[in-house]
Amino acid sequence: QVQLVESGGGLVQPGGSLRLSCGVSGFTLDYYAIGWFRQAPGKEREGVSCISASDGSTYHTDSVKGRFTISRDNAKNTVFLQMNKLKPEDTAVYYCAAMSFPLLVQTLCVSGRADYWGQGTQVTVSS
């Protein structure tokens, strides 16, 4: 069956870094855009960073531009989110999600209409 499994979350101080991983099984990663979403308590889920299935195009929401980088290794069926200069407002549960061939990579991040979702990993940024 289809599975997306996040890992790499944890507690980090403001200004620190974390690298999240999303391991995919049960479908061919080559044909899916992958996005990272987050949801903080009492807030709506938001699309953070997304990457295209083929051409490597990426999208980042304004609040993380210059700090977060999304990448993928299709041969390893894994997507990464490198998070630098973390801020307390980055605290949330982070989810990875997959969408089959969106017209534009930002479609996944903006719409949130993914085909598959992982269970999430907690990221806490605090002193």
Side-chain angles (χ1 to χ4, degrees):
Q1 67 270 26
V2 172
Q3 285 190 302
L4 292 84
V5 180
E6 302 92 338
S7 62
L11 175 64
V12 65
Q13 293 184 337
S17 297
L18 284 174
R19 189 194 195 205
L20 305 183
S21 298
C22 176
V24 173
S25 63
F27 65 95
T28 303
L29 188 58
D30 297 14
Y31 307 137
Y32 288 80
I34 304 295
W36 286 96
F37 295 76
R38 66 187 181 188
Q39 188 165 25
K43 294 187 177 181
E44 296 295 317
R45 183 183 64 202
E46 65 172 336
V48 177
S49 301
C50 292
I51 188 165
S52 71
S54 57
D55 66 4
S57 298
T58 60
Y59 169 90
H60 303 279
T61 194
D62 287 345
S63 63
V64 309
K65 285 181 179 177
R67 300 189 297 119
F68 291 12
T69 303
I70 187 170
S71 61
R72 67 193 295 160
D73 186 341
N74 286 9
K76 301 294 183 183
N77 283 356
T78 305
V79 179
F80 306 97
L81 184 66
Q82 179 66 45
M83 305 186 294
N84 299 323
K85 300 178 181 179
L86 283 161
K87 304 174 180 180
E89 53 262 45
D90 296 318
T91 296
V93 177
Y94 283 71
Y95 302 88
C96 63
M99 173 184 280
S100 179
F101 287 116
L103 293 177
L104 297 171
V105 64
Q106 59 262 42
T107 300
L108 174 56
C109 270
V110 173
S111 74
R113 299 190 190 100
D115 298 303
Y116 306 108
W117 292 88
Q119 294 299 307
T121 185
Q122 177 71 48
V123 172
T124 302
V125 185
S126 176
S127 299

